[in-house]
């Protein structure tokens, strides 16, 4: 079950890397649809800059999670996984209140499932 737990946490990381790619490189039409934003807004230079900046954060979070899985073990890894999954859940709740409710399900739910697995199955 520990391997499944690490796999779930890695999926959360890959999800954030995918979100980063969408935020940084996707066409405005795809960004508008993905983030429930008006296309006219997303096409603005300032909105593109903000999305790219947010994308860097999401991408680095994903890379951090993957690096953590590679470089740490045992109780240190468990503590880091717990903290990062809680962080993602908090950010998803905030995003659900301020942006779109689907953030709670698309980002928060996978992190919650991974957190539950870490708490129960990772020794």
């Amino acid at each position: 079950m520990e391997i499944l737990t690490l796999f779930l946490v890695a999926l959360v990381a890959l999800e954030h890397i995918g979100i980063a790619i969408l935020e940084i490189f996707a066409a405005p039409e795809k960004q508008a649809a993905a983030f429930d934003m008006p296309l006219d807004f997303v096409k603005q230079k300032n909105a593109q800059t903000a999305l790219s900046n947010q994308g860097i954060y999401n991408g680095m979070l994903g890379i951090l999670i993957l690096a953590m899985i590679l470089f740490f073990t045992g109780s240190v890894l468990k503590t880091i996984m717990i903290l990062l999954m809680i962080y993602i859940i908090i950010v998803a709740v905030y995003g659900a209140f301020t942006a779109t409710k689907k953030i709670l399900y698309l980002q928060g739910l996978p992190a919650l499932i991974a957190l539950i697995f870490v708490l129960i199955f990772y020794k």
Side-chain angles (χ1 to χ4, degrees), residues 17-105:
I17 292 169
I19 292 167
I21 291 168
L22 183 62
E23 289 170 334
I24 298 170
F25 300 113
E29 294 78 15
K30 288 191 181 211
Q31 292 170 330
F35 303 118
D36 292 338
M37 296 176 158
L39 181 57
D40 291 341
F41 172 74
V42 174
K43 285 184 174 181
Q44 294 176 20
K45 182 178 180 348
N46 289 340
Q48 284 296 304
T49 300
L51 280 169
S52 293
N53 188 31
Q54 186 172 320
I56 293 295
Y57 282 96
N58 274 310
M60 293 309 296
L61 176 61
I63 291 168
L64 173 67
I65 294 169
L66 292 177
M68 160 212 60
I69 291 171
L70 294 173
F71 295 123
F72 296 103
T73 59
S75 63
V76 172
L77 177 58
K78 183 175 184 173
T79 300
I80 294 170
M81 287 189 295
I82 290 169
L83 291 172
L84 287 173
M85 293 306 108
I86 290 171
Y87 168 80
I88 292 169
I89 292 165
I90 291 168
V91 171
V93 169
Y94 181 81
F97 281 113
T98 60
T100 177
K101 299 237 183 295
K102 73 181 183 181
I103 290 173
L104 191 58
Y105 304 108

